Amino acid sequence: MNNITRQNTTDRELVDRILRGETNAFGIIIKNTENLVAKLIFDMIASESDRKDIAQDVYIKAYQKLPGFKFQSKLSTWIGQICYNTCIDHLRKKKLVLAESIFETETDPSNDILDMMNTAQGNFDEPVDTFVIGKDISEIVKKKIEKLPVIYKTLISLYHKEELSYEEIGTITGLPAGTVKSYLFRARRELKNDLLLHYKKEDLC
Amino acid sequence: MLIKHLTDDEVQQYAVNKSNCEKRIVEHIHLCEECRSKVEVYQLLINGIKQQPQPAFNFDLSKMVLQQLPSPKTSIANDNALIWIFGFMAMAFLGGAIYFFQSYFDLFESMRTIFIYLIVITAVTVLAYLFIDMYKKYKHGMKVLDLY
């Protein structure tokens, strides 16, 4: 609780300084929130040049909207929300993703069959043990995460890496906390199933 | 003997945060080899997620954004000057009114001093309130218009 109060005080001080015309104080906000913004953008946007434009766009929007910030959440959560919405808008504009595929819950079964065939082929080429030992678990998990729908990827990252609460993730994504929790369960289950489809548990330990 | 294993959600709950789990789940995990094995897979997965490198931009985002923001405002000094100008104008107006309409002030002589104070204080309070409100609206309007 004290941390939240302290955080809010710092946020208020920074926002006040910027609203008084000290634009350089906005640099501190960027430094404080850059990691979260990078995580969201890297999870949601594939193109490197688009990432650069979106990152700048996020902060320019935040700067413009700053006088309207009501301190109902942490400043970082608010900027995360702007970032998430900017990424979604970008994906929709580019028609890279349809609304339903953002929230897609099942992976394409044909992809699974292809993956299984590829793995089977891989297993013929080299023994399972060598195949797994050659890679570490984080590398394997990374590949599996990349296959997840955008929303799952984002939630996994915000919860397990950024260590945000369900409520904070809900504020960023505009989803109810209960839905965030349930999507996270589904995302982890999908990852686990995908992992066990290709590797034996003993090989991963 | 029938053993009812934990659901996948319960296994995940334990793997993610065992300190927040129901006692029933914790006890089951301690006794059941199969569920414990499922927990281990999830823990492995979560460790794998946590080990992912932190993505970072290969450019100075702060510098790029700050270059695009409008230069720092110098309006605070201007705002203070504006307050002084308004104050001076108000004083001049009040002084002028007293000088030109001195004869009317005789009317007040018949009134009791306490009433005069009451009227003056009320007038000053209302004027101050209106001035503050007007100033706030002006500031808000300037903020809204401050686009680039």
Side-chain angles (χ1 to χ4, degrees):
Chain A
M1 191 68 190
N2 275 341
N3 271 347
I4 295 168
T5 320
R6 205 177 312 129
Q7 178 76 46
N8 265 340
T9 317
T10 323
D11 286 352
R12 261 176 213 281
E13 282 166 9
L14 281 171
V15 172
D16 283 347
R17 278 169 64 189
I18 295 159
L19 293 182
R20 282 202 305 267
E22 218 182 300
T23 42
N24 281 341
F26 196 67
I28 302 171
I29 292 183
I30 299 176
K31 291 277 177 218
N32 290 347
T33 56
E34 199 178 332
N35 280 350
L36 172 67
V37 167
K39 249 185 217 119
L40 282 166
I41 292 177
F42 274 76
D43 280 339
M44 298 177 80
I45 309 293
S47 152
E48 198 156 319
S49 62
D50 286 348
R51 282 175 184 166
K52 194 174 181 176
D53 292 341
I54 290 169
Q56 292 177 72
D57 197 21
V58 165
Y59 284 107
I60 287 169
K61 276 185 191 168
Y63 184 81
Q64 285 174 333
K65 291 180 179 178
L66 208 57
F69 178 55
K70 302 273 184 257
F71 298 95
Q72 283 166 348
S73 63
K74 282 197 282 183
L75 189 62
S76 58
T77 310
W78 181 70
I79 290 175
Q81 188 183 25
I82 294 174
C83 181
Y84 179 81
N85 290 334
T86 308
C87 290
I88 293 286
D89 284 347
H90 172 84
L91 293 174
R92 282 193 180 133
K93 261 183 218 157
K94 291 244 172 180
K95 292 182 182 166
L96 290 171
V97 73
L98 295 169
E100 54 267 33
S101 65
I102 296 170
F103 298 99
E104 207 169 49
T105 54
E106 301 297 331
T107 47
D108 185 357
S110 57
N111 283 345
D112 276 351
I113 292 162
L114 278 173
D115 284 345
M116 281 166 78
M117 285 166 72
N118 288 339
T119 313
Q121 184 64 48
N123 287 351
F124 278 121
D125 291 345
E126 49 185 335
V128 175
D129 283 348
T130 335
F131 185 69
V132 176
I133 290 164
K135 302 171 175 200
D136 68 285
I137 182 72
S138 76
E139 212 177 311
I140 295 167
V141 171
K142 187 183 173 191
K143 285 195 175 155
K144 302 295 170 199
I145 291 175
E146 276 165 12
K147 283 164 68 185
L148 285 176
V150 173
I151 187 72
Y152 285 178
K153 228 192 288 184
T154 309
L155 296 184
I156 287 277
S157 183
L158 292 178
Y159 187 80
H160 288 292
K161 292 181 73 196
E162 202 63 21
E163 295 181 343
L164 298 182
S165 66
Y166 295 130
E167 286 73 21
E168 282 173 316
I169 298 173
T171 309
I172 291 174
T173 56
L175 296 170
T179 311
V180 170
K181 195 175 174 181
S182 123
Y183 278 5
L184 269 166
F185 275 97
R186 281 195 231 170
R188 281 190 295 255
R189 191 177 308 135
E190 246 183 61
L191 274 176
K192 181 207 70 176
N193 290 343
D194 194 17
L195 206 65
L196 292 180
L197 195 69
H198 299 95
Y199 305 99
K200 287 178 190 166
K201 189 204 151 199
E202 303 78 50
D203 298 328
L204 296 165
C205 295
Chain B
M1 194 176 97
L2 275 174
I3 299 173
K4 200 182 170 214
H5 289 294
L6 296 176
T7 62
D8 190 69
D9 283 5
E10 287 168 334
V11 169
Q12 284 196 42
Q13 249 178 53
Y14 184 89
V16 172
N17 189 1
K18 62 180 167 193
S19 59
N20 233 359
C21 263
E22 285 173 51
K23 202 178 163 193
R24 171 186 62 87
I25 297 174
V26 179
E27 279 171 0
H28 182 94
I29 298 284
H30 282 298
L31 297 170
C32 178
E33 179 78 31
E34 198 178 322
C35 289
R36 203 162 48 240
S37 165
K38 287 178 190 169
V39 166
E40 279 165 12
V41 175
Y42 273 118
Q43 282 173 339
L44 206 68
L45 185 72
I46 292 163
N47 284 340
I49 295 169
K50 286 183 175 167
Q51 281 170 28
Q52 299 299 306
Q54 163 68 40
F57 297 116
N58 55 2
F59 50 90
D60 190 342
L61 180 61
S62 176
K63 196 177 166 189
M64 286 178 93
V65 173
L66 289 180
Q67 275 170 356
Q68 295 176 59
L69 300 181
S71 55
K73 291 177 190 171
T74 50
S75 61
I76 292 171
N78 292 341
D79 287 350
N80 287 338
L82 214 63
I83 290 169
W84 281 109
I85 289 168
F86 274 127
F88 181 75
M89 280 168 69
M91 294 281 280
F93 179 76
L94 207 67
I98 290 168
Y99 180 76
F100 288 110
F101 300 101
Q102 215 166 13
S103 56
Y104 293 100
F105 285 102
D106 297 342
L107 285 172
F108 293 105
E109 276 175 15
S110 56
M111 289 171 79
R112 288 176 67 178
T113 326
I114 191 148
F115 283 121
I116 294 170
Y117 279 129
L118 197 69
I119 290 165
V120 169
I121 288 169
T122 312
V124 168
T125 312
V126 169
L127 276 173
Y129 174 78
L130 286 174
F131 179 75
I132 290 166
D133 188 53
M134 196 175 71
Y135 183 69
K136 274 185 185 166
K137 278 182 185 160
Y138 159 77
K139 288 290 283 179
H140 178 73
M142 291 308 284
K143 254 179 211 169
V144 171
L145 289 170
D146 192 18
L147 299 171
Y148 52 92

